[in-house]
Amino acid sequence: GALGFLVGEWGVRILVTLGGSSIPRTDAIHPEARVIGFAVGITLLTALLFGLLPALRVARADFQVLRDGGRAGSAGRERRRVRSALVVAETALAMLLLAGAGLMMKSFWTLSHVNPGFDAERVLSLRLTSPDPVGVSEDQWVTQQMAERDQILRRLASLPGVTAVGGSKTLPLHGGGEPYEFSIPDRPSASSVLPQSGAYIVTPGYFRALGIPLVRGRAFTDADRPPAPLVVIVNQAFARKYWPNEDVIGKTLRLGNTDVRIVGVAGDVRNDGLAATSGTAVYVPSTTFFRSNINVFLRTTGDPLQLAQAARQAIWNIDPQMPVSDVTTLEQVVTNTVARPRFFTLLIGLFSGLALVLAAVGLYGVIAYSVRQRTHEIGIRMALGAHAKSVLGMVMREAMTLAVMGIAIGLVGALALTRFLQSQLYGVAPTDAGTLAITALILCVVAMLASWIPARRATKVDPLVALREE
């Protein structure tokens, strides 16, 4: 129990570290008095229960028990049934947990290999926050901040190793699209067109910096600034939904009372996360819709973090008071979005691994004990001419019978209970036959290895020594 507490204390710290930002209030996660008290109580209860039962049996021992343990048999049938039932239960639990872990692992692998719609490799991400206006009107402040931001973006684009610079109010995969409602002027019946993923405020270099393909038309340019007519870019899902089998370039949307023209069609991006489908989206230029916060992305030719300090200095050379935060790589941003499923996959994987070890140890213990109790019987078999292979097969059959029974019960339990994991799975059914089959195969292999050692020992029994033992 004391050793378990130390391991638990150490393990909690590691799990909290691995969980990172995916777990809220990680600073408050630690073993507390109630948890420790519960663990101590369970430990003592287990020791008492599994020590008391055999102690009571020994206290009531009679000559029949002695005879059962001697020449008449290898061990009492009742005791063998209890030990076998425990091994079957351990194996069934291991199968259940391994099935859940297998499904979570396959789900996580599928999720981590989803194409997000952009290229996150070699991209530095940082966040700029414009200060609140002081002593000037809001219009003057917006004009000043837009000019300063343009200057910052140009300075960043001139840094050695930077091939493209763009910005957006939101981070990729984090949603945050603004709920602008559009309408289609020539379709009175379609009075409201609300993009499912929302409207995204981006700079002219956004699509190039993130490697988002423009399948039709063009990106935003500096010529799209007011008083030029407002233009927008839609994604492929938007174009397919409202203008199927038509060229949307030049089509008109209406935002409020203002007509806006579609000048480009961008590839679909999973703006709301890797597990979400690519909803309809509209991109509007930041030169018209200014926001005080912006995420800036620098596509580089090498390691983006090596440019982090140079990027900060370039910004502070223009505005020494400009806050620069959340400096990281875009690959890390993508990785963080799957931190929660990765953590739960790790957690259930650890528990299933522990269950697998317990099942293997239990099976090994039961078979080793059975071989020891049946030494006399095995000696007689070998004295009468039984080959080592037949003895090995006899012991292995006993072990694998228990293992197969546990696996079968565990499979039934997995089919019944893994459906509760459905909300945590992506791209895999809770009854995925391939995953369940591989899990059962792994457990079978572990069971064979655990039982092979005592089975092999049984083939080494010397008939003369075994007969003398009685």
Side-chain angles (χ1 to χ4, degrees), residues 299-362:
R299 179 164 293 280
T300 67
T301 56
D303 182 2
L305 288 178
Q306 292 184 353
L307 282 174
Q309 186 55 39
R312 288 192 186 95
Q313 194 58 53
I315 295 168
W316 290 333
N317 286 340
I318 297 172
D319 185 351
Q321 305 301 320
M322 174 68 70
V324 180
S325 60
D326 300 338
V327 180
T328 184
T329 64
L330 193 56
E331 286 181 308
Q332 187 61 48
V333 171
V334 175
T335 299
N336 290 341
T337 63
V338 294
R340 185 180 292 268
R342 181 176 62 247
F343 175 76
F344 287 124
T345 300
L346 172 64
L347 195 61
I348 193 173
L350 289 175
F351 282 116
S352 63
L354 179 60
L356 184 62
V357 171
L358 290 176
V361 170

Side-chain angles (χ1 to χ4, degrees), residues 278-301:
S278 301
T280 57
V282 176
Y283 297 92
V284 296
S286 61
T287 52
T288 303
F289 298 84
F290 180 81
R291 294 294 182 269
S292 60
N293 295 310
I294 186 173
N295 296 283
V296 179
F297 309 104
L298 287 72
R299 179 164 293 280
T300 67
T301 56

Side-chain angles (χ1 to χ4, degrees), residues 125-331:
S125 171
L126 53 89
R127 186 173 181 83
L128 304 181
T129 303
S130 298
D132 295 331
V134 177
V136 295
S137 67
E138 185 174 349
D139 289 342
Q140 290 176 318
W141 176 79
V142 169
T143 301
Q144 292 173 359
Q145 293 302 313
M146 287 182 65
E148 182 178 280
R149 187 169 291 174
D150 289 343
Q151 190 178 0
I152 289 174
L153 293 178
R154 286 195 297 270
R155 181 68 61 86
L156 292 174
S158 66
L159 292 175
V162 175
T163 59
V165 175
S168 170
K169 180 197 168 187
T170 57
L171 280 171
L173 306 177
H174 285 69
E178 300 198 2
Y180 292 146
E181 291 189 17
F182 297 86
S183 60
I184 302 176
D186 58 354
R187 298 183 191 175
S189 58
S191 58
S192 178
V193 176
L194 181 64
Q196 294 170 344
S197 293
Y200 294 90
I201 301 172
V202 302
T203 68
Y206 174 77
F207 298 101
R208 184 163 174 245
L210 265 66
I212 300 174
L214 283 170
V215 296
R216 292 279 296 159
R218 65 174 178 85
F220 297 129
T221 67
D222 289 336
D224 295 321
R225 299 174 179 273
L230 180 61
V231 296
V232 297
I233 294 172
V234 300
N235 69 344
Q236 289 176 290
F238 191 98
R240 286 193 302 266
K241 181 174 181 179
Y242 295 106
W243 285 280
N245 304 319
E246 293 185 53
D247 185 2
V248 301
I249 302 301
K251 299 289 186 181
T252 300
L253 290 174
R254 182 165 294 161
L255 175 58
N257 295 321
T258 304
D259 286 348
V260 298
R261 185 167 56 90
I262 299 174
V263 296
V265 178
D268 291 334
V269 175
R270 295 177 181 264
N271 289 303
D272 294 319
L274 290 175
T277 57
S278 301
T280 57
V282 176
Y283 297 92
V284 296
S286 61
T287 52
T288 303
F289 298 84
F290 180 81
R291 294 294 182 269
S292 60
N293 295 310
I294 186 173
N295 296 283
V296 179
F297 309 104
L298 287 72
R299 179 164 293 280
T300 67
T301 56
D303 182 2
L305 288 178
Q306 292 184 353
L307 282 174
Q309 186 55 39
R312 288 192 186 95
Q313 194 58 53
I315 295 168
W316 290 333
N317 286 340
I318 297 172
D319 185 351
Q321 305 301 320
M322 174 68 70
V324 180
S325 60
D326 300 338
V327 180
T328 184
T329 64
L330 193 56
E331 286 181 308

Side-chain angles (χ1 to χ4, degrees), residues 363-379:
L363 185 61
Y364 170 83
V366 165
I367 298 304
Y369 186 76
S370 175
V371 168
R372 180 67 186 86
Q373 294 295 98
R374 298 173 67 181
T375 300
H376 184 72
E377 173 195 341
I378 294 172

